[in-house]
Amino acid sequence: MKVPFLDFAPMHNELHEQLVEKFNKVLDANYFILGREVEEFETKFASFCKAKHVLGCGNGLDALILALRALEIGNGDDVIVPSNTYIATALAVSYVGATPIFVEPELATFNINPDEIEKKITPKTKVIIAVHLYGRAADMDAINSIAKKHNLKVIEDCAQAHGAKYKGRNIGTLGDIAGFSFYPGKNLGALGDAGAVVTNDDELAHKVSMLRNYGSQIKYVHEVKGTNSRLDEFQAGFLSVKLQNLEKWNAERDRIANIYINEIKNPLITLPQPSNGEYKNVWHIFAVLCDKRNELEKFLNENGIGTNKHYPTPMHLQGAYKDLGIKRGELPIAEKISACELSIPIYYGMMEEQVNYIIEKLNCFEE
């Protein structure tokens, strides 16, 4: 049996007519940048997140850069980021001229460990970026408490957690400002690159609205040095269509995750924590840990099961960040996750026989 790591066909086949209809609507309107479709999606996504402001932009990296710029972060500033996340989180900090300061995650949750944050705070620290990794919210009460104590701002990186909740509250509304990615593989994905900034702060929303559009709100009037990062009408229209189905898709991911958690019984494989009353996980990634990760990956692949690794080399050991001078062994938890994490298929449209086949193969894996 073949089980791809990810398959868009089930969701897109169901929505094919609606997506084509939306494409034709935008094409016939002959208006392609910051028009009605963007306004409509921003309104709908704000309602979904229970947030005051949503501002569409080009991609998730741009969303984080815009958030940092709105907070006036730049040269000489330090920004706390998790040592275990996709490199975009750190790149956003670098692109505004600040320095990413890596803080280790909790091995049990993969998210930044609040107990380690204060050890890295200095007079140059201005922001904590909390990443809701793999679909599970970070411990926002603890993070916000530390931020308040040290007069820091909090940015949520929500790129992998559309629809996740923390203690009943929607992610994207738990810090000062948040960035979302709508890369096609996300739980809510566009048909190309797309992103958004979310905030309840009127002043920050005003800044982002200008920064994303050449520093302008009135054509040819430029109040600040902005950039060009605008969600286009086609992607906004597609996202509005898909947003209507996000809760259904997330519920299916949760159902499959619970089957995995209840039926994978191999002592060589450590499973992620299930959703509970405090954390509604939307399972962007179902990440398992195995000391024999490479052997497990090879075994699954040979049996037709697609896998991925998130992420095989931690940021501090990437060539892009060799300038920080962090040596192997200095961030051991991030390094352990990079060496042991394997992501198995979880997506809307998986057949029961595919799920059962994956469980069967995982349970029969041996050293």
Side-chain angles (χ1 to χ4, degrees):
M1 178 181 290
K2 296 285 187 182
V3 187
F5 177 69
L6 180 61
D7 187 359
F8 296 128
M11 70 168 72
H12 288 164
N13 288 343
E14 287 185 7
L15 300 177
H16 186 268
E17 290 186 9
Q18 295 177 63
L19 293 170
V20 171
E21 181 181 348
K22 183 64 73 171
F23 175 86
N24 288 332
K25 180 181 178 183
V26 174
L27 183 63
D28 290 344
N30 286 302
Y31 198 103
F32 304 109
I33 300 293
L34 295 182
R36 291 180 180 177
E37 294 294 339
V38 170
E39 291 178 3
E40 179 182 339
F41 173 70
E42 289 175 341
T43 299
K44 289 180 176 178
F45 196 60
S47 177
F48 179 84
C49 295
K50 295 181 171 56
K52 193 171 182 181
H53 303 284
V54 169
L55 299 117
C57 62
N59 53 65
L61 174 57
D62 282 359
L64 294 177
I65 293 171
L66 290 167
L68 287 161
R69 289 198 61 190
L71 291 171
E72 300 181 5
I73 304 304
N75 292 329
D77 295 331
D78 286 351
V79 177
I80 299 288
V81 302
S83 59
N84 177 52
T85 185
Y86 185 54
I87 198 170
T89 312
L91 288 176
V93 176
S94 299
Y95 286 162
V96 300
T99 301
I101 304 299
F102 297 129
V103 171
E104 289 274 72
E106 296 175 298
L107 190 59
T109 68
F110 302 109
N111 280 326
I112 193 168
N113 185 347
D115 293 338
E116 298 296 318
I117 292 175
E118 283 193 283
K119 300 175 185 177
K120 297 291 186 78
I121 293 174
T122 72
K124 296 196 297 182
T125 307
K126 297 295 188 295
V127 173
I128 301 170
I129 299 184
V131 181
H132 306 305
L133 199 67
Y134 304 156
R136 188 185 196 275
D139 187 352
M140 292 305 298
D141 282 355
I143 291 167
N144 283 326
S145 177
I146 294 166
K148 183 177 180 181
K149 177 180 175 181
H150 294 275
N151 194 30
L152 306 178
K153 297 297 185 181
V154 175
I155 296 175
E156 294 175 81
D157 183 339
C158 305
Q160 299 186 8
H162 312 70
K165 292 187 178 181
Y166 173 76
K167 297 184 178 180
R169 293 173 288 164
N170 296 65
I171 59 102
T173 63
L174 305 176
D176 294 283
I177 193 167
F180 281 82
S181 167
F182 303 117
Y183 181 78
K186 307 299 185 183
N187 290 36
L188 178 63
L191 303 186
D193 268 324
V197 176
V198 176
T199 185
N200 287 323
D201 187 301
D202 293 344
E203 182 181 354
L204 291 178
H206 175 71
K207 287 182 178 180
V208 171
S209 70
M210 291 190 295
L211 287 167
R212 69 173 176 178
N213 188 33
Y214 297 104
S216 171
Q217 284 197 314
I218 300 171
K219 196 167 186 178
Y220 303 133
V221 177
H222 305 275
E223 300 178 43
V224 295
K225 296 181 180 72
T227 189
N228 176 12
S229 182
R230 301 174 296 201
L231 177 62
D232 74 66
E233 289 286 280
F234 285 112
Q235 299 303 340
F238 298 147
L239 286 166
S240 289
V241 171
K242 297 179 83 172
L243 179 59
Q244 301 171 72
N245 298 272
L246 180 56
E247 290 187 335
K248 177 180 75 172
W249 294 338
N250 283 344
E252 178 65 0
R253 286 174 177 266
D254 191 53
R255 187 186 72 83
I256 295 169
N258 285 326
I259 295 173
Y260 282 156
I261 290 168
N262 290 326
E263 298 189 16
I264 297 171
K265 304 293 185 181
N266 193 327
L268 300 175
I269 298 170
T270 301
L271 301 174
Q273 294 183 349
S275 295
N276 57 39
E278 290 195 345
Y279 295 89
K280 177 189 174 185
N281 193 332
V282 294
W283 302 104
H284 174 61
I285 297 295
F286 193 92
V288 304
L289 296 176
C290 180
D291 289 340
K292 300 289 185 179
R293 189 270 307 281
N294 293 339
E295 291 86 345
L296 176 59
E297 178 184 37
K298 182 173 184 289
F299 173 76
L300 293 176
N301 294 169
E302 287 175 346
N303 282 277
I305 298 170
T307 57
N308 208 330
K309 297 185 287 290
H310 295 89
Y311 301 94
T313 302
M315 292 180 293
H316 66 284
L317 299 180
Q318 298 276 1
Y321 282 107
K322 64 182 179 181
D323 59 307
L324 296 181
I326 303 173
K327 296 180 175 60
R328 185 177 296 277
E330 292 187 34
L331 296 171
I333 299 178
E335 291 175 22
K336 179 176 177 59
I337 294 171
S338 291
C340 298
E341 190 276 340
L342 189 68
S343 304
I344 64 174
I346 187 165
Y347 50 87
Y348 176 77
M350 288 183 72
M351 296 180 290
E352 294 301 312
E353 53 264 38
Q354 291 177 312
V355 174
N356 293 334
Y357 179 70
I358 291 168
I359 293 168
E360 174 195 342
K361 293 304 176 185
L362 286 168
N363 283 337
C364 71
F365 172 72
E366 298 177 344
E367 289 188 78

